[in-house]
Amino acid sequence: MNPQIKPPRWATKLLSWWANPNTREEVQGDLLELYVYWVQTIGKRKADWRYALSALKLLRPLAKRKNDYPTTYLFSPNMIRNYFKIAFRNLLKHKGYSFINIFGLATGMAVAMLIGLWVWDELNFNKYHKNYERIGQIRSIYTEPTTGVSEGSPFMQIPMGTALKENYNHLFKKVLISWGVGEYTLKLDEKNLNRRGHFVEPGILEMLSLKMLKGSYESLKDPYSIVLSKSSAEALFGSADPINQPLKIDNKIDVKVTGVYEDIPKNSRFGEVQFFSPWDLWVSSNEWVKANVNSWNNTSFGIYVELQPTVSLETAQAGLNDFYAKNTPKDFFKLIESGKPQLFVHPMDQWHLYSDFTDGRPTGGRITFVWLFGIIGAFVLLLASINFMNLSTARSEKRAKEVGIRKAVGSLRTQLIGQFFSESFLVVILAFFISCLFIVISLSWFNGLADKAIAFPFTDLYFWASSLAFISLTAILTGIYPALYLSSFQPLKVLKGTFKAGRFAAVPRKALVVVQFTVSVMMIIGTMVVYQQIQYAKNRPVGYNKEGLITLNLNDPNYEGKFDLLKSELMNSGAVANVALSNSPLTAISNSGGGYTWKGKAPETPSGFNKVKVTADFGKTIDWKIIAGRDFLNDYKTDSAGIILNEAAAKYIGLDNPIGEYIKTEDGRFTWQIVGVTKDMVIQSPYEPISGTFYFLDFNKASNQMTIRIKSTVGFANALPKIEAVFKKLVPSASFDYKFVDEEYANKFSQEQRIGTLATVFAILAIFISCLGLFGLASFVAEQRTKEIGVRKVLGASVTNLWQLLSKDFVVLVIISCFIAAPIAYYFMSEWLQKYTYRTEISWWVFAAAGVGALSITLLTVSFQAIKAALMNPVKSLRSE
């Protein structure tokens, strides 16, 4: 070599200091030859850079030494294939433990995925509508001076909608007045179809971005139009074209079909709406609505708004702060001013999840259950993962020699970790596909239970991407502790036979068992408290006898003027005890309003009450309880100017003896004399205080809600055909559609009942998964202590002694879990109960029952293995000794 051609000295020295001494001279010689070649071909400067870079690459630990395993080799396809092959063989070798691991994990993953689908459905509620972020509903917030409590209501006055259109179009692109969603009869020739419909101003189709199959967003501009959902159109017209076909709504409103839209998904507030008709048609068809077009005293209507593209929700809210002062009549504003009234835009994306209000503002609602079930899903998956971790580490001594031999022949710890992670991944992948099978099988049942229409997203790439992340996360969660623990064994101790797991080796497993049962016991307690609250509300005095009552909607105009004849025929049928009319069903309020005054009323006292019109026999029909004064009487024509108050209203007006006193309207046009006070009746939410209600006598018998009490000696099965025969005889064109009052009342508990049932199912599955792991651990402990059990039997130990010996450790762990779970569950369930005004107290027996139940299940689970081991012949276990 030319002495003038010398490589960089610092690189040569670095190589001589840090290169592998076994190959240093060979490497230096080869690199020097390459350096000479580089100088001749690319020049000295570039050769120096290449020489220095090559020297750095050859330094330890960067150098790929002959006896080392390259990093890439650890994760090569052949090595990964080998990992999974060994993992599969281990699963087949230990079928019992493999079954517990895979089946338990599959159950946990199925629960977590079902909950994930439910949560996703809840979070996407109303997002079917493209402009959901810009749509809202107007609510009024009003503070009662007597209580200082702010209340919010979505029921508005018609003039409010008019004022918003005229004076606030800089904030709102659309303002639509509506009449709430109700049930109507659609009549086509002799065909009657009951469907839920919505009377609202024409812009609703575009606001909700409905997918029009026939017609357009302008289809509701015809004042006598109706736009049907696809399913309703098919039910009425089959495959025929419905456009311009005539229909009758409630056999009195003539309309023609001007459009058909794709059915709205169930996870939308409008999912139950099967037709839309114009607001003006509703006004023209109802005299009482016409009379309230300019009235600020009737709050029975809804108002939807869509924000202007450049307006934020906060800006719109700020713009409405002084609405009442600027837009309401002075006498009306003076009346409500003390209540600090304010308008509030409730955004569509909060309608479903934030439907509970505190001080008039949304503070929670179903979002609580979304968080709750999300946490439950995570915990159930954790329980299943703990089973894998516990059984893997419990069998550590069985695999210690395997680890020792692998390390002795050159396996790196990273390889062993890869091996154990591959087992974890294999178990999780198998469990995932089994869990998908579980979901497909149970999804229809789950939908019925949760009142959902969730479909398994086979074609959704986002779902499968999420599933891949889910599998990876679960595999890491289940595999990280066993992989790190098992790969840490020292080969020298293992192969000399001196390896022992140690007295504290079982502590992590015991801690994980405590976590499992703490979560399970908390879920049991939570489920019991939910049912206790539901039962408490169900046992609340209703104030009337709801058994044996049915209600019918008499919207058909052919019923007009026939009430007395219907009542007479029904009473003569021998099946009916009494009949009455009202303008509200027994389980809801259709009308409320203010503008009343009475003796001693302070000017600033609000006067908003529920208003119900009833016929004279209403009280007798429903069997309400008069606690002061008397009931309405048919013989007293003066009762047309009479009024009955419920207890809440009588207490609110503050008169010591209200009987004979007068209730008047603020303008003095109407006066009613109080003739009686009835015991409070639960008409609205059974969890909330009862609102003040006025009952007026419907002397003209014009109300459209009929309530019929069936004789207890006849029964529904015999009574209903007789009642239907009377209706068909007198009003043959009308459909006989009735509802049981007790079932309608029971529907008020449906949400809590549904949540309680779901919680029960998940709690049972959590206990099942925990017990599955406990069964595996008990089996392992019994196997591990076989020789000890044999010696004890030889020395005279009874089956009972051995059962106690093997069971007591698990019982202690469950007792610890109960003591940890009780205060945590008490705190969270107490917070949940605060949302209900009418609520139960958490009883001590709930915690006792949960603890006894958990202990009983534990003993049943462990006892099988414990007794099996105790009954084993000691000769077999001691033969090798």
Side-chain angles (χ1 to χ4, degrees):
M1 184 181 74
N2 190 334
Q4 301 298 322
I5 304 175
K6 291 184 179 179
R9 290 184 61 192
W10 65 269
T12 304
K13 286 188 176 181
L14 202 62
L15 193 61
S16 63
W17 290 339
W18 295 103
N20 188 332
N22 297 324
T23 59
R24 184 187 303 149
E25 290 184 6
E26 182 181 349
V27 167
Q28 284 179 324
D30 291 343
L31 191 58
L32 197 58
E33 289 179 10
L34 284 170
Y35 176 72
V36 173
Y37 172 75
W38 290 333
V39 170
Q40 294 171 351
T41 55
I42 60 175
K44 188 173 186 312
R45 186 179 178 185
K46 289 184 179 181
D48 287 347
W49 279 106
R50 188 171 288 188
Y51 180 89
L53 187 62
S54 300
L56 289 172
K57 286 182 178 180
L58 289 167
L59 300 181
R60 290 187 301 175
L62 300 176
K64 296 179 183 178
R65 300 188 299 275
K66 184 176 180 179
N67 294 326
D68 287 346
Y69 291 101
T71 304
T72 53
Y73 180 65
L74 296 178
F75 302 103
S76 67
N78 288 334
M79 202 63 187
I80 291 173
R81 192 183 305 116
N82 185 57
Y83 290 157
F84 279 101
K85 186 186 293 184
I86 296 171
F88 188 72
R89 287 173 180 170
N90 276 323
L91 291 180
L92 291 178
K93 184 179 179 182
H94 306 286
K95 294 181 180 66
Y97 293 110
S98 299
F99 173 79
I100 291 173
N101 274 334
I102 295 171
F103 188 75
L105 198 56
T107 305
M109 292 178 80
V111 171
M113 288 167 68
L114 272 177
I115 290 176
L117 290 171
W118 182 86
V119 167
W120 182 254
D121 188 82
E122 289 287 303
L123 293 176
N124 282 279
F125 214 91
N126 288 327
K127 291 186 178 179
Y128 171 80
H129 310 289
K130 292 179 182 177
N131 300 321
Y132 72 93
E133 293 178 322
R134 311 198 64 76
I135 298 171
Q137 186 174 28
I138 297 294
R139 297 182 71 98
S140 176
I141 303 170
Y142 187 84
T143 303
E144 288 195 7
T146 53
T147 62
V149 175
S150 293
E151 297 180 349
S153 170
F155 301 109
M156 303 290 110
Q157 304 92 337
I158 295 175
M160 179 183 290
T162 306
L164 287 169
K165 290 178 187 178
E166 294 174 353
N167 304 326
Y168 292 85
N169 50 19
H170 61 290
L171 297 177
F172 303 117
K173 180 180 178 181
K174 288 186 178 69
V175 177
L176 308 179
I177 306 171
S178 68
W179 174 249
V181 177
E183 192 163 301
Y184 303 89
T185 301
L186 300 180
K187 185 176 178 63
L188 174 68
D189 299 328
E190 297 303 314
K191 185 184 289 185
N192 290 321
L193 194 69
N194 289 329
R195 286 292 185 265
R196 295 185 70 78
H198 203 11
F199 287 87
V200 62
E201 293 189 285
I204 192 68
L205 302 178
E206 184 177 11
M207 178 186 279
L208 299 180
S209 57
L210 299 186
K211 297 176 182 176
M212 301 300 296
L213 304 177
K214 294 182 183 291
S216 67
Y217 288 151
E218 309 298 317
S219 293
L220 282 181
K221 289 196 172 180
D222 185 324
Y224 296 96
S225 60
I226 184 171
V227 176
L228 300 172
S229 66
K230 180 183 178 184
S231 58
S232 297
E234 290 175 349
L236 283 166
F237 301 100
S239 58
D241 186 0
I243 297 300
N244 292 323
Q245 294 295 322
L247 287 177
K248 276 184 178 289
I249 300 176
D250 285 339
N251 208 23
K252 66 180 180 180
I253 305 175
D254 290 300
V255 293
K256 67 176 180 179
V257 180
T258 56
V260 177
Y261 62 89
E262 186 180 275
D263 285 65
I264 302 171
K266 196 169 184 177
N267 67 336
S268 164
R269 171 69 67 85
F270 298 93
E272 63 176 352
V273 179
Q274 286 134 342
F275 74 84
F276 291 92
S277 263
W279 161 255
D280 288 341
L281 180 60
W282 179 254
V283 175
S284 63
S285 305
N286 292 273
E287 292 299 324
W288 72 271
V289 181
K290 289 180 187 177
N292 286 284
V293 166
N294 298 310
S295 172
W296 284 91
N297 289 321
N298 193 310
T299 54
S300 301
F301 312 98
I303 300 176
Y304 302 118
V305 295
E306 182 180 343
L307 301 180
Q308 291 284 7
T310 56
V311 175
S312 66
L313 184 66
E314 293 75 18
T315 303
Q317 190 60 61
L320 293 176
N321 286 340
D322 58 355
F323 175 88
Y324 281 101
K326 287 185 175 181
N327 297 276
T328 58
K330 290 183 180 179
D331 56 341
F332 178 79
F333 182 69
K334 186 177 180 182
L335 181 68
I336 64 171
E337 185 177 9
S338 59
K340 300 176 183 176
Q342 189 178 1
L343 286 192
F344 166 68
V345 181
H346 190 200
M348 191 184 215
D349 57 6
Q350 292 186 8
W351 289 0
H352 183 68
L353 296 178
Y354 296 88
S355 55
D356 290 347
F357 290 80
T358 302
D359 293 336
R361 300 286 182 176
T363 54
R366 288 180 69 89
I367 189 66
T368 305
F369 297 121
V370 170
W371 279 107
L372 172 66
F373 282 116
I375 292 169
I376 287 174
F379 273 133
V380 170
L381 183 61
L382 177 65
L383 298 183
S385 301
I386 286 173
N387 284 351
F388 183 90
M389 289 187 270
N390 272 345
L391 291 177
S392 296
T393 55
R395 296 179 59 250
S396 58
E397 288 188 34
K398 297 281 185 182
R399 302 198 66 177
K401 288 185 179 179
E402 176 192 342
V403 173
I405 292 170
R406 285 179 179 276
K407 283 193 170 184
V409 296
S411 286
L412 301 177
R413 190 181 182 189
T414 49
Q415 283 182 297
L416 292 171
I417 290 173
Q419 170 64 50
F420 293 125
F421 262 125
S422 69
E423 291 184 19
S424 172
F425 266 97
L426 183 60
V427 169
V428 171
I429 290 168
L430 292 173
F432 172 76
F433 286 109
I434 294 172
S435 70
C436 287
L437 181 63
F438 287 168
I439 291 171
V440 171
I441 293 170
S442 63
L443 195 55
S444 60
W445 167 82
F446 180 78
N447 280 332
L449 190 66
D451 192 30
K452 291 286 186 183
I454 300 169
F456 193 89
F458 287 105
T459 58
D460 192 337
L461 291 177
Y462 183 80
F463 168 77
W464 292 110
S466 302
S467 297
L468 183 61
F470 177 61
I471 290 170
S472 302
L473 180 66
T474 307
I476 291 169
L477 180 68
T478 56
I480 190 166
Y481 174 58
L484 294 176
Y485 177 72
L486 294 173
S487 64
S488 65
F489 293 161
Q490 297 298 319
L492 189 62
K493 291 183 178 180
V494 170
L495 297 178
K496 286 177 68 178
T498 59
F499 169 79
K500 294 292 180 185
R503 56 183 298 193
F504 297 111
V507 171
R509 288 197 294 278
K510 290 180 178 180
L512 291 173
V513 170
V514 169
V515 170
Q516 273 188 315
F517 275 88
T518 297
V519 172
S520 300
V521 172
M522 283 171 59
M523 292 176 69
I524 292 172
I525 293 170
T527 301
M528 293 174 73
V529 172
V530 169
Y531 276 110
Q532 190 181 10
Q533 169 64 8
I534 293 170
Q535 203 57 46
Y536 183 75
K538 282 185 175 180
N539 293 336
R540 183 181 187 179
V542 181
Y544 64 95
N545 182 9
K546 63 182 184 292
E547 307 301 327
L549 291 177
I550 63 171
T551 62
L552 298 95
N553 193 320
L554 307 184
N555 281 330
D556 193 308
N558 291 315
Y559 283 118
E560 290 180 14
K562 294 184 180 178
F563 171 69
D564 287 330
L565 182 58
L566 272 169
K567 180 177 179 181
S568 174
E569 290 285 333
L570 287 168
M571 298 291 284
N572 291 332
S573 70
V576 173
N578 222 322
V579 184
L581 291 177
S582 63
N583 70 339
S584 290
L586 261 176
T587 53
I589 291 293
S590 299
N591 197 7
S592 62
Y596 300 101
T597 186
W598 54 86
K599 186 175 76 175
K601 176 182 178 292
E604 69 276 4
T605 302
S607 59
F609 296 91
N610 297 327
K611 301 185 295 184
V612 182
K613 282 187 175 183
V614 299
T615 52
D617 286 333
F618 181 77
K620 293 177 186 175
T621 303
I622 68 169
D623 194 19
W624 68 9
K625 312 299 179 188
I626 298 293
I627 59 175
R630 62 174 175 81
D631 205 339
F632 290 125
L633 299 172
N634 275 315
D635 300 334
Y636 281 42
K637 289 189 176 181
T638 54
D639 274 4
S640 61
I643 188 173
I644 291 178
L645 281 57
N646 70 347
E647 283 180 282
K651 183 179 179 181
Y652 185 78
I653 66 175
L655 298 175
D656 294 332
N657 182 17
I659 306 302
E661 297 294 344
Y662 293 91
I663 301 289
K664 302 178 181 180
T665 55
E666 293 281 354
D667 57 14
R669 291 175 58 198
F670 300 98
T671 300
W672 300 272
Q673 186 179 35
I674 301 172
V675 299
V677 176
T678 181
K679 195 172 184 63
D680 281 337
M681 296 189 296
V682 180
I683 297 176
Q684 296 169 294
S685 171
Y687 302 105
E688 300 301 326
I690 293 170
S691 303
T693 305
F694 289 168
Y695 294 92
F696 303 91
L697 183 62
D698 180 12
F699 202 76
N700 295 321
K701 302 170 185 175
S703 296
N704 64 355
Q705 294 289 330
M706 178 180 279
T707 304
I708 300 174
R709 177 166 293 283
I710 293 172
K711 286 183 177 179
S712 57
T713 55
V714 177
F716 285 116
N718 295 321
L720 289 173
K722 295 180 180 180
I723 295 170
E724 184 176 10
V726 171
F727 276 86
K728 291 298 182 185
K729 174 185 173 182
L730 298 179
V731 193
S733 63
S735 59
F736 179 64
D737 298 305
Y738 58 87
K739 294 178 179 177
F740 297 104
V741 171
D742 55 350
E743 290 182 358
E744 290 296 295
Y745 184 79
N747 287 338
K748 293 179 178 291
F749 303 92
S750 59
Q751 177 171 310
E752 282 73 16
Q753 195 88 42
R754 193 173 294 118
I755 295 299
T757 305
L758 286 172
T760 301
V761 171
F762 295 145
I764 291 171
L765 289 172
I767 284 288
F768 170 75
I769 291 169
S770 299
C771 289
L772 203 61
L774 205 61
F775 182 84
L777 279 178
S779 174
F780 171 75
V781 169
E783 180 187 344
Q784 193 181 39
R785 302 178 73 173
T786 300
K787 290 181 181 178
E788 178 191 347
I789 291 168
V791 171
R792 287 180 180 273
K793 287 197 75 174
V794 170
L795 296 176
S798 66
V799 172
T800 304
N801 295 142
L802 295 172
W803 171 74
Q804 290 175 341
L805 174 71
L806 294 172
S807 301
K808 70 177 181 179
D809 286 345
F810 296 108
V811 170
V812 168
L813 295 179
V814 174
I815 291 173
I816 293 170
S817 300
C818 291
F819 278 106
I820 295 172
I824 299 173
Y826 179 82
Y827 171 77
F828 284 108
M829 295 315 295
S830 296
E831 288 293 308
W832 177 74
L833 286 172
Q834 294 305 310
K835 66 180 281 193
Y836 301 107
T837 304
Y838 190 81
R839 57 180 177 268
T840 186
E841 296 294 328
I842 302 178
S843 306
W844 64 269
W845 60 263
V846 170
F847 303 100
V852 170
L855 282 172
S856 301
I857 292 169
T858 301
L859 285 172
L860 283 172
T861 304
V862 174
S863 293
F864 175 79
Q865 290 292 351
I867 293 172
K868 179 183 175 183
L871 292 174
M872 188 183 294
N873 188 343
V875 173
K876 291 183 178 180
S877 58
L878 298 176
R879 184 178 297 162
S880 60
E881 301 295 321

